[in-house]
Amino acid sequence: MALSTNTGGQRPGESSGDWDEAREGAELYRIVSELYPICRSITGNGVRESLRVLQQQVPLSLHEIPSGTKVFDWVVPNEWNIRDAYIKNSSGGKVADFRKSNLHVVNYSVPVRKKMALSELRPHLFALPESPDWIPYRTSYYKETWGFCLSQRQFESLADAEYEVCIDSSLGPGHLTYGEFQIPGATDNEVLISSHCCHPSLCNDNLSGMAVAARLAQHLSGRSLRYSYRFVWIPGTIGSIAWLALHEKLLPQIKHGLVLSCVGDPGRFTYKRSRRGNAGIDRVVEHVLRHSRREFQLRDFSPQGYDERQYCSPGINLPVGCFMRTPNGEYPQYHTSADDLTLVKPSSMAESLQQLLQIIAALEGNESYVNLNPKCEPQLGRRGLYRPVGGTKNAGAEDAMLWVLNFSDGGHSLLDIAARSGLPLATLSAAADQLENAGLLAKAGGPRQ
Amino acid sequence: MALSTNTGGQRPGESSGDWDEAREGAELYRIVSELYPICRSITGNGVRESLRVLQQQVPLSLHEIPSGTKVFDWVVPNEWNIRDAYIKNSSGGKVADFRKSNLHVVNYSVPVRKKMALSELRPHLFALPESPDWIPYRTSYYKETWGFCLSQRQFESLADAEYEVCIDSSLGPGHLTYGEFQIPGATDNEVLISSHCCHPSLCNDNLSGMAVAARLAQHLSGRSLRYSYRFVWIPGTIGSIAWLALHEKLLPQIKHGLVLSCVGDPGRFTYKRSRRGNAGIDRVVEHVLRHSRREFQLRDFSPQGYDERQYCSPGINLPVGCFMRTPNGEYPQYHTSADDLTLVKPSSMAESLQQLLQIIAALEGNESYVNLNPKCEPQLGRRGLYRPVGGTKNAGAEDAMLWVLNFSDGGHSLLDIAARSGLPLATLSAAADQLENAGLLAKAGGPRQ
Amino acid sequence: MALSTNTGGQRPGESSGDWDEAREGAELYRIVSELYPICRSITGNGVRESLRVLQQQVPLSLHEIPSGTKVFDWVVPNEWNIRDAYIKNSSGGKVADFRKSNLHVVNYSVPVRKKMALSELRPHLFALPESPDWIPYRTSYYKETWGFCLSQRQFESLADAEYEVCIDSSLGPGHLTYGEFQIPGATDNEVLISSHCCHPSLCNDNLSGMAVAARLAQHLSGRSLRYSYRFVWIPGTIGSIAWLALHEKLLPQIKHGLVLSCVGDPGRFTYKRSRRGNAGIDRVVEHVLRHSRREFQLRDFSPQGYDERQYCSPGINLPVGCFMRTPNGEYPQYHTSADDLTLVKPSSMAESLQQLLQIIAALEGNESYVNLNPKCEPQLGRRGLYRPVGGTKNAGAEDAMLWVLNFSDGGHSLLDIAARSGLPLATLSAAADQLENAGLLAKAGGPRQ
């Protein structure tokens, strides 16, 4: 398996000699830092600019879907772009300035340029009384309005006077942009990796996911793989809906998938299962996390969250789970200006990438075999596979061979045997290789997913 | 749903404005108090008189099955009536007096009028050494004999002298009487509510069940209901056997059922599942209890107990569970004179009734829907069903809609979705109504139970 | 059931009047003591001599399989016999002497007679640094070599001098010997009891298993049994493989089986389930252990251990579990000279035998019945099966009858009903007998296993 020749290829549970967490973390952090200042939204130039940053990692292609395109129950909205926005007080001082933080503007605000009293302005203002120094993140994609987000301290300091309000934005026919990158494998069976790219200056949600996906794609590029891999960077909700609507015919090829979000904070890993609940990806991620010696939590699917909502809608129902550290909505900085470059850590992102590489190694390595000598044990010693002096306990490799032989009956994959034996998939996979070489085991026939 | 217009109709988990626990408890206690002095048995005028008391609540009808009627393996016994009974000591004082407590006579005692020595009398006496002030409750339906029950103190004070024994009873051909009341619903599918009415002056077991059933019937009367409801007040064992034998053809219509017993004491709720174990009624009662914020326990079916033994016999096997507070045999006053008007509480009976109304609301409301837009989420915002400003957490109603949409795939009822989401059925039902009104959801076709 | 007439026949959970644990323990200990000095191996005269000792208990027959016989993937090896072995130091003192402990010689050592320096000898020596007084047990069946096992203290005391090494063994064409004993029952359906007989002077592993199997066979002999019983005493691994290869046609008859090993130490009982995991034997053993009021542990099948590895190989997959006290490899004395006559206890072996007799009583007694009166309860009182005076709690026998009646619906065996009710199988079996005698119950038709 080509994957075993470098970082991405260590078998799960093993650590690879050339994995340099510090270097990888630094590179991920550099990407996030470069993406951070850009004002993204579900459409517009911010997405295009961001995807071009990721093209430094892999030659992903940009796809444009025209405004007005019908995608299932939805319609691709007009394209939004913004150049500047501010609120000036009567003395000309800016009390909210898009150039200082793009979170100050309600995302998708229509243009406005007007003087108004505080009483008229106030319904357009949003703040967080419980976190008085943070600017909230708010959007209004589908109702044409405008607004500003301020820290509670800014909001409270506003005098009852006249203000000059300016939002220099445009909202009109254009396109929804997404990025896509494919790595061909030995079969058309695909693994889908999806991350949303629509949030403005918020690091964990989801510059971390965008960057980790790009590095993951870079690591897998050029490898010899059994699955084909498809990476998409898409605006949340409307992006995955549009992508699904336009790719309905290829959905049967997608055998496994992951949504990546919030993978940069130092919290424990969280895996949210696919709607199917016991799909291959669900079992593989659980296996890798269980053998990771790191803290983690597993959750069943719920229809709240990110694009897994669409991938797992009842009429789509793909085997797609969601890989996170602290889930959206569950860290205090979520959807505020405090989700900044101090919340995400180089080492956290590197660890996330490493787990994902191990998950992919497990997907690639989860073979099913058939024991060619199923009546009693084969004589392993004759083949040099067993200790010559008896009376002692089995070595680990012998144990793994006995497990593989006993349960390779057509009904158990290596992952099934890993679950029964408690052994890591990589150990069983190595045992299977030895047994296959000795002519005692053969890959189970039939189409493999 | 018509049920939502008054007490019985609040969706489970909600409290209804016009539910007056104090008033309801007082009325239930009044009924029990009126029934308390009557000497009931499995046949005879005590049952008739008791059922007529319940006719104040609903126009239930009295049915008479002649003695000698063969009902499965049993035969309806002769009818028993009693006018008076006592034991007089040599100085003419009554040491046991039926007029003070009908428990003094072994139920179904044949007539006797005789003087006898204590040694002859003693084999006919029953007492409770472990509860020396309480009179036990004993019966001898199928072996012709007679006897008296005394408190242990009375028993021990009996001098070794001659006694005059009188039981002025009659046992001869007559009828077994039961009460029945039906409330027609939109379909022939029935819910059966059964309570035994054969115990003499014992309040919790089962005047509480008889009274709560009558009030439940009263509350449901005149409502627009999907299920038809059938209430039976029957003597224990022989009554349910006779009823089942005579109504075998309609059994397939019974889709859910509950035996009500011991629902008046202040103990926590107990639900004993049907023999099927996972019938609709089992899942509905568990759901309602879980969301009741009251203590409760669930038990699997066992062939001990009351009439659920017959409803759940292997050749009948109806989906009938048993709803109780403290189960029969598990409170010290069980089957003694201490199961009196001080053991049952107005508030306990009212709470039991309220839980039953919520169980019925859940049975009525447990619809299955099909998502008409199953590919990705529908755009709820366009239909006014979603908050216009994004970036915040979902409101509860939105969450409920997402759960209903995601799992209304033909394989999940609202109750299934309630179990997965942890949301109360009523919240999901309200969400389903909104989605149905918006044209996004339709009731699942096919026959519904 | 004839089993109920003596020790083996008490229903599980009951104790039999004529079970004399002290007498039985003494006899088991006597057998182990007689077997202890014999040097056994997977072939050779030690096995024959041991089996002849067991013939004092039951007339088991000795079977001989010629060296070179192909048995599945294996070949029956040459026969090994040994007369003497020692290491002499330069002054003629024996530093290791086969006559003191046959563990001193690596089992299956080829003959050697040579003087050599310590440096040449050392690679042939085995000791246990962590247990410096114990001699390890080592084998080399399939690689022709020789060796000696010493205590660590002996090993360390060896001077750097010349030694005279003698192993007076022979390895050449001969036979593999096993013992077999059958008890015919009413049907050809068989219960297989297997114990390995290849270890030299090790008491718990597995003279205990050999002796307990022989006594079990003795207890069952001459009984009226529904199952036929087959006992095999076989050398580990190669013996069970050879037996399976030569008896493949009769394997479908084997409905239950147990491997007996390490049943003489005072540790709690351990049952290792068959590979099927929920076979009849697995459920029966669990039932008996749960009702034994003794400590026990249950384990799922794993492909490590003794001959269950072969019986449960994927192409054989017999319903054979493994009954032990402390499992192989989990007590410190395992495979050392400390597994001697002080490790095994008469009472421990007698208890093991008693549990096995109860397991067999449960296998024999696990009948399935059909309720002939499935609609409502039958009137037990009319048949004298119910207390005449009502109002009290059920007696245990009545409870058992109600459980048997309610679940004898064609889908539940007595063992299933035991699991649901928590009652011992013997109680249910007695209730079933009563109900069958009353014409209320009949044995379920169809082939029974």
Side-chain angles (χ1 to χ4, degrees):
Chain A
M1 187 171 68
L3 267 181
S4 58
T5 58
N6 78 2
T7 312
Q10 82 270 32
R11 291 216 157 87
E14 297 175 330
S15 66
S16 165
D18 62 356
W19 172 253
D20 183 339
E21 186 178 297
R23 189 171 52 84
E24 193 61 59
E27 176 64 5
L28 285 160
Y29 198 80
R30 198 196 58 69
I31 301 169
V32 168
S33 303
E34 189 173 347
L35 293 169
Y36 183 58
I38 303 169
C39 182
R40 281 160 296 274
S41 181
I42 55 173
T43 62
N45 292 323
V47 174
R48 292 184 190 101
E49 190 181 342
S50 300
L51 294 175
R52 274 182 222 115
V53 168
L54 299 182
Q55 282 176 332
Q56 298 164 9
Q57 303 297 326
V58 285
L60 65 88
S61 52
L62 275 65
H63 298 257
E64 304 280 351
I65 307 175
S67 301
T69 305
K70 178 120 179 77
V71 287
F72 294 135
D73 189 56
W74 301 61
V75 174
V76 172
N78 281 335
E79 181 175 328
W80 183 70
N81 283 291
I82 184 164
R83 284 154 298 275
D84 197 6
Y86 54 80
I87 302 172
K88 272 189 192 161
N89 61 21
S90 49
S91 54
K94 287 187 179 173
V95 298
D97 184 354
F98 173 77
R99 295 177 188 224
K100 287 195 180 154
S101 169
N102 54 41
L103 296 178
H104 276 309
V105 179
V106 169
N107 207 289
Y108 253 68
S109 282
V110 294
V112 60
R113 184 175 297 266
K114 197 177 168 192
K115 293 196 175 177
M116 62 185 74
L118 181 60
S119 58
E120 191 186 346
L121 176 58
R122 196 177 275 132
H124 293 272
L125 300 182
F126 300 89
L128 292 170
E130 67 279 17
S131 301
D133 292 316
W134 297 351
I135 308 164
Y137 161 57
R138 293 290 178 269
T139 67
S140 186
Y141 301 136
Y142 300 101
K143 187 189 167 199
E144 294 202 358
T145 183
W146 60 269
F148 281 86
C149 298
L150 286 74
S151 75
Q152 181 72 8
R153 293 202 203 286
Q154 287 175 310
F155 178 74
E156 287 171 3
S157 69
L158 292 180
D160 191 4
E162 195 183 59
Y163 291 90
E164 182 190 339
V165 174
C166 165
I167 297 181
D168 179 14
S169 67
S170 61
L171 184 62
H175 295 83
L176 177 152
T177 311
Y178 71 88
E180 185 163 336
F181 180 66
Q182 286 178 261
I183 304 173
T187 67
D188 284 343
N189 292 326
E190 286 197 7
V191 178
L192 175 71
I193 307 290
S194 172
S195 49
H196 61 276
C197 62
C198 53
H199 286 185
S201 293
L202 298 170
C203 284
N204 199 33
D205 181 16
N206 190 30
L207 301 182
S208 69
M210 292 166 65
V212 167
R215 288 297 297 158
L216 180 61
Q218 198 278 330
H219 275 281
L220 297 182
S221 292
R223 300 281 183 79
S224 165
L225 299 159
R226 287 204 293 197
Y227 287 105
S228 295
Y229 288 77
R230 185 184 300 261
F231 291 79
V232 294
W233 292 263
I234 43 150
T237 304
I238 184 65
S240 52
I241 292 171
W243 190 88
L244 287 164
L246 299 174
H247 295 80
E248 230 183 319
K249 281 197 184 142
L250 73 75
L251 302 188
Q253 290 173 222
I254 298 178
K255 303 306 180 189
H256 308 283
L258 288 173
V259 167
L260 305 186
S261 68
C262 305
V263 291
D265 70 285
R268 64 177 169 176
F269 288 109
T270 301
Y271 178 65
K272 177 180 166 182
R273 293 184 179 98
S274 77
R275 184 179 184 270
R276 300 184 184 183
N278 199 27
I281 186 68
D282 300 323
R283 298 173 60 239
V284 160
V285 176
E286 180 169 347
H287 174 82
V288 169
L289 289 174
R290 286 208 185 282
H291 286 272
S292 72
R293 295 186 208 95
R294 292 200 179 92
E295 259 200 293
F296 67 93
Q297 60 177 331
L298 300 171
R299 296 189 177 182
D300 281 332
F301 176 75
S302 67
Q304 290 78 38
Y306 282 118
D307 292 301
E308 69 274 13
R309 291 158 56 177
Q310 313 311 326
Y311 298 126
C312 297
S313 56
I316 303 290
N317 205 22
L318 286 173
V320 172
C322 183
F323 187 83
M324 304 170 270
R325 298 191 75 117
T326 307
N328 49 292
E330 300 186 16
Y331 49 96
Q333 305 91 334
Y334 174 71
H335 278 190
T336 75
S337 56
D339 182 357
D340 62 14
L341 286 163
T342 67
L343 178 61
V344 295
K345 308 294 175 197
S347 61
S348 300
M349 289 190 284
E351 279 172 16
S352 298
L353 175 57
Q354 194 185 26
Q355 289 296 295
L356 288 163
L357 285 164
Q358 295 193 344
I359 287 164
I360 284 166
L363 281 176
E364 293 275 326
N366 181 25
E367 190 64 77
S368 286
Y369 292 89
V370 173
N371 180 340
L372 299 176
N373 184 81
K375 292 180 180 176
C376 299
E377 292 173 2
Q379 195 177 5
L380 296 176
R382 167 152 60 88
R383 297 167 174 96
L385 299 175
Y386 213 75
R387 61 195 185 288
V389 174
T392 54
K393 287 201 103 180
N394 288 352
E398 290 168 2
D399 264 352
M401 279 188 274
L402 293 177
W403 279 107
V404 170
L405 284 169
N406 196 290
F407 287 97
S408 289
D409 56 3
H412 297 87
S413 70
L414 289 188
L415 191 65
D416 296 325
I417 302 173
R420 265 204 83 134
S421 66
L423 296 175
L425 184 60
T427 305
L428 296 170
S429 194
D433 285 352
Q434 281 193 281
L435 292 165
E436 197 179 16
N437 291 339
L440 292 169
L441 212 61
K443 288 198 175 60
R448 182 186 168 278
Q449 296 194 344
Chain B
M1 186 171 70
L3 268 180
S4 56
T5 57
N6 78 4
T7 311
Q10 83 270 28
R11 292 217 156 89
E14 296 176 333
S15 66
S16 166
D18 62 357
W19 172 254
D20 183 340
E21 185 179 297
R23 188 171 54 83
E24 192 61 57
E27 176 64 3
L28 285 159
Y29 197 80
R30 198 197 58 70
I31 301 169
V32 168
S33 303
E34 190 172 348
L35 294 169
Y36 182 60
I38 304 169
C39 182
R40 282 161 295 275
S41 181
I42 56 172
T43 62
N45 291 324
V47 173
R48 294 185 188 99
E49 189 181 342
S50 299
L51 294 174
R52 275 182 222 113
V53 168
L54 298 181
Q55 283 176 331
Q56 298 164 9
Q57 303 297 325
V58 285
L60 64 88
S61 53
L62 275 65
H63 298 257
E64 304 280 351
I65 308 175
S67 301
T69 305
K70 177 120 179 82
V71 287
F72 295 134
D73 189 57
W74 301 61
V75 174
V76 171
N78 281 335
E79 181 173 328
W80 183 71
N81 284 290
I82 183 164
R83 284 155 297 278
D84 196 6
Y86 54 80
I87 303 171
K88 271 189 192 160
N89 59 25
S90 49
S91 55
K94 289 187 179 173
V95 298
D97 185 355
F98 174 76
R99 293 175 192 226
K100 285 195 180 155
S101 169
N102 53 41
L103 297 178
H104 275 310
V105 180
V106 169
N107 207 291
Y108 252 68
S109 282
V110 293
V112 61
R113 186 177 295 265
K114 196 178 171 193
K115 291 196 176 175
M116 62 184 75
L118 180 60
S119 59
E120 191 184 348
L121 176 58
R122 195 177 275 132
H124 294 271
L125 300 182
F126 300 89
L128 291 171
E130 66 278 17
S131 302
D133 291 317
W134 298 350
I135 309 164
Y137 162 57
R138 293 290 178 270
T139 67
S140 187
Y141 301 136
Y142 300 102
K143 186 188 168 199
E144 294 203 358
T145 183
W146 61 268
F148 281 86
C149 298
L150 286 75
S151 76
Q152 180 70 9
R153 292 201 203 286
Q154 286 175 309
F155 178 75
E156 287 171 1
S157 69
L158 293 180
D160 191 3
E162 196 183 57
Y163 291 91
E164 180 191 342
V165 173
C166 164
I167 297 182
D168 179 12
S169 66
S170 60
L171 184 61
H175 295 83
L176 177 151
T177 312
Y178 69 89
E180 184 163 337
F181 180 65
Q182 286 178 261
I183 304 173
T187 68
D188 284 344
N189 292 325
E190 287 197 7
V191 178
L192 175 71
I193 307 290
S194 173
S195 49
H196 61 275
C197 60
C198 52
H199 286 185
S201 292
L202 298 169
C203 285
N204 198 33
D205 181 18
N206 190 30
L207 301 182
S208 69
M210 292 166 65
V212 167
R215 289 297 297 157
L216 180 61
Q218 198 278 332
H219 275 280
L220 296 182
S221 292
R223 300 282 181 78
S224 166
L225 298 158
R226 286 203 294 196
Y227 287 105
S228 295
Y229 288 78
R230 185 183 300 261
F231 290 78
V232 294
W233 292 263
I234 43 152
T237 304
I238 183 66
S240 52
I241 292 171
W243 190 89
L244 286 164
L246 299 174
H247 294 80
E248 228 183 321
K249 280 197 184 142
L250 74 74
L251 302 188
Q253 289 173 221
I254 298 177
K255 303 307 180 190
H256 309 282
L258 287 174
V259 168
L260 304 187
S261 68
C262 306
V263 291
D265 70 286
R268 65 178 168 175
F269 287 110
T270 301
Y271 179 66
K272 176 180 167 182
R273 294 184 178 97
S274 77
R275 184 179 185 271
R276 300 183 185 183
N278 199 26
I281 186 67
D282 300 323
R283 297 172 62 240
V284 159
V285 177
E286 178 168 347
H287 175 82
V288 169
L289 289 174
R290 285 206 186 284
H291 286 271
S292 71
R293 294 186 209 95
R294 291 199 178 91
E295 259 200 292
F296 67 93
Q297 59 177 331
L298 300 171
R299 295 189 178 182
D300 281 331
F301 176 76
S302 67
Q304 290 78 39
Y306 282 118
D307 291 301
E308 69 275 14
R309 291 158 56 177
Q310 313 310 327
Y311 298 125
C312 297
S313 56
I316 303 290
N317 205 22
L318 286 174
V320 172
C322 182
F323 186 83
M324 305 169 269
R325 299 192 73 116
T326 307
N328 49 293
E330 302 186 16
Y331 49 96
Q333 305 92 334
Y334 173 73
H335 278 192
T336 76
S337 57
D339 182 358
D340 62 12
L341 286 164
T342 68
L343 178 62
V344 295
K345 308 294 174 197
S347 62
S348 299
M349 290 190 283
E351 279 172 17
S352 298
L353 175 58
Q354 193 185 29
Q355 289 297 296
L356 289 162
L357 285 164
Q358 295 193 344
I359 287 163
I360 284 165
L363 281 175
E364 293 275 326
N366 182 24
E367 191 62 79
S368 285
Y369 293 90
V370 172
N371 180 339
L372 300 175
N373 184 81
K375 294 181 179 176
C376 299
E377 292 173 2
Q379 195 176 6
L380 296 176
R382 168 152 60 87
R383 297 167 174 95
L385 299 175
Y386 213 75
R387 63 195 185 286
V389 173
T392 55
K393 287 200 106 178
N394 289 352
E398 290 167 2
D399 263 352
M401 280 188 272
L402 293 176
W403 278 108
V404 169
L405 284 168
N406 195 291
F407 287 96
S408 288
D409 56 3
H412 297 87
S413 70
L414 288 188
L415 191 66
D416 296 324
I417 302 174
R420 266 205 81 133
S421 67
L423 296 175
L425 185 60
T427 305
L428 295 170
S429 193
D433 285 352
Q434 281 194 282
L435 292 166
E436 196 178 16
N437 291 339
L440 292 170
L441 212 62
K443 288 196 175 65
R448 182 187 169 277
Q449 300 193 341
Chain C
M1 186 173 69
L3 267 180
S4 56
T5 57
N6 78 4
T7 312
Q10 82 270 30
R11 291 220 158 84
E14 297 175 332
S15 66
S16 166
D18 62 358
W19 172 254
D20 182 340
E21 186 180 296
R23 189 172 51 85
E24 192 61 58
E27 175 64 3
L28 285 160
Y29 197 81
R30 198 197 58 71
I31 301 168
V32 168
S33 303
E34 189 172 348
L35 294 168
Y36 182 60
I38 303 169
C39 181
R40 282 160 295 275
S41 182
I42 55 173
T43 62
N45 291 323
V47 174
R48 293 185 190 99
E49 188 180 343
S50 300
L51 294 174
R52 275 182 222 114
V53 167
L54 299 182
Q55 282 176 332
Q56 298 165 9
Q57 303 296 326
V58 284
L60 64 88
S61 53
L62 274 65
H63 298 258
E64 304 280 351
I65 308 175
S67 302
T69 304
K70 177 119 180 82
V71 286
F72 293 135
D73 188 55
W74 300 61
V75 175
V76 172
N78 281 336
E79 182 175 327
W80 183 71
N81 283 292
I82 183 164
R83 286 155 295 276
D84 197 4
Y86 54 80
I87 302 173
K88 271 189 193 160
N89 59 23
S90 49
S91 54
K94 287 188 180 173
V95 297
D97 185 354
F98 173 77
R99 292 173 192 227
K100 286 195 180 155
S101 170
N102 55 39
L103 296 178
H104 275 309
V105 179
V106 170
N107 207 291
Y108 252 67
S109 282
V110 293
V112 61
R113 185 176 295 268
K114 195 177 169 191
K115 290 195 178 181
M116 62 184 76
L118 180 61
S119 58
E120 193 186 345
L121 176 60
R122 195 177 276 132
H124 293 271
L125 301 181
F126 299 90
L128 290 172
E130 66 278 18
S131 302
D133 291 317
W134 297 351
I135 309 165
Y137 162 56
R138 294 290 178 269
T139 67
S140 186
Y141 302 135
Y142 300 103
K143 188 190 165 196
E144 293 202 358
T145 183
W146 60 268
F148 281 87
C149 298
L150 286 75
S151 76
Q152 181 71 11
R153 291 201 205 285
Q154 286 174 307
F155 178 74
E156 287 172 2
S157 69
L158 293 180
D160 192 3
E162 198 183 56
Y163 292 90
E164 183 190 340
V165 174
C166 165
I167 298 182
D168 179 13
S169 66
S170 61
L171 185 61
H175 294 83
L176 178 151
T177 311
Y178 70 89
E180 184 163 337
F181 179 66
Q182 285 177 263
I183 304 173
T187 68
D188 285 342
N189 292 326
E190 288 197 6
V191 178
L192 175 71
I193 307 290
S194 172
S195 49
H196 61 274
C197 62
C198 52
H199 286 186
S201 292
L202 299 170
C203 285
N204 199 34
D205 180 17
N206 190 31
L207 301 182
S208 69
M210 291 166 65
V212 167
R215 289 296 298 157
L216 180 61
Q218 198 279 330
H219 275 280
L220 297 182
S221 292
R223 301 281 181 79
S224 165
L225 298 158
R226 287 204 293 196
Y227 288 105
S228 295
Y229 288 78
R230 185 184 299 261
F231 291 78
V232 294
W233 292 264
I234 43 153
T237 304
I238 184 66
S240 52
I241 292 171
W243 190 89
L244 286 164
L246 299 174
H247 295 80
E248 228 183 323
K249 280 198 185 141
L250 74 75
L251 302 189
Q253 288 173 223
I254 299 178
K255 303 306 180 190
H256 308 284
L258 287 174
V259 168
L260 306 186
S261 67
C262 305
V263 292
D265 69 288
R268 64 178 168 176
F269 288 110
T270 300
Y271 179 66
K272 176 180 166 182
R273 294 184 179 96
S274 77
R275 184 178 185 271
R276 299 183 185 184
N278 199 26
I281 186 67
D282 299 324
R283 298 172 61 240
V284 160
V285 176
E286 178 168 348
H287 174 81
V288 170
L289 289 175
R290 284 206 187 285
H291 286 272
S292 71
R293 295 188 208 94
R294 291 201 178 92
E295 258 200 294
F296 67 94
Q297 60 177 331
L298 300 171
R299 296 190 177 181
D300 281 331
F301 175 75
S302 67
Q304 289 79 39
Y306 282 118
D307 291 301
E308 69 274 14
R309 291 157 57 177
Q310 313 310 327
Y311 298 125
C312 296
S313 56
I316 302 289
N317 205 22
L318 287 173
V320 172
C322 182
F323 186 83
M324 305 170 269
R325 298 190 76 115
T326 307
N328 51 293
E330 301 186 17
Y331 50 95
Q333 305 92 336
Y334 173 73
H335 278 192
T336 75
S337 55
D339 182 357
D340 62 13
L341 286 163
T342 67
L343 178 62
V344 295
K345 309 292 175 199
S347 62
S348 299
M349 290 190 283
E351 279 172 17
S352 298
L353 175 58
Q354 193 185 29
Q355 289 298 295
L356 288 163
L357 285 165
Q358 295 193 344
I359 287 163
I360 283 165
L363 281 176
E364 293 276 326
N366 181 25
E367 190 62 79
S368 285
Y369 293 91
V370 172
N371 181 340
L372 300 176
N373 185 81
K375 293 179 179 177
C376 298
E377 291 172 1
Q379 195 177 4
L380 296 176
R382 167 154 58 88
R383 299 169 173 94
L385 299 175
Y386 214 76
R387 63 195 185 287
V389 174
T392 54
K393 286 201 107 180
N394 288 352
E398 290 168 3
D399 263 352
M401 279 188 273
L402 293 177
W403 278 108
V404 169
L405 284 168
N406 195 290
F407 287 97
S408 289
D409 56 2
H412 297 87
S413 70
L414 288 187
L415 190 66
D416 296 324
I417 301 174
R420 265 205 82 134
S421 66
L423 296 174
L425 185 60
T427 305
L428 296 171
S429 193
D433 285 352
Q434 281 193 280
L435 292 167
E436 198 178 14
N437 291 338
L440 292 170
L441 212 61
K443 287 198 176 64
R448 181 186 170 276
Q449 299 195 341

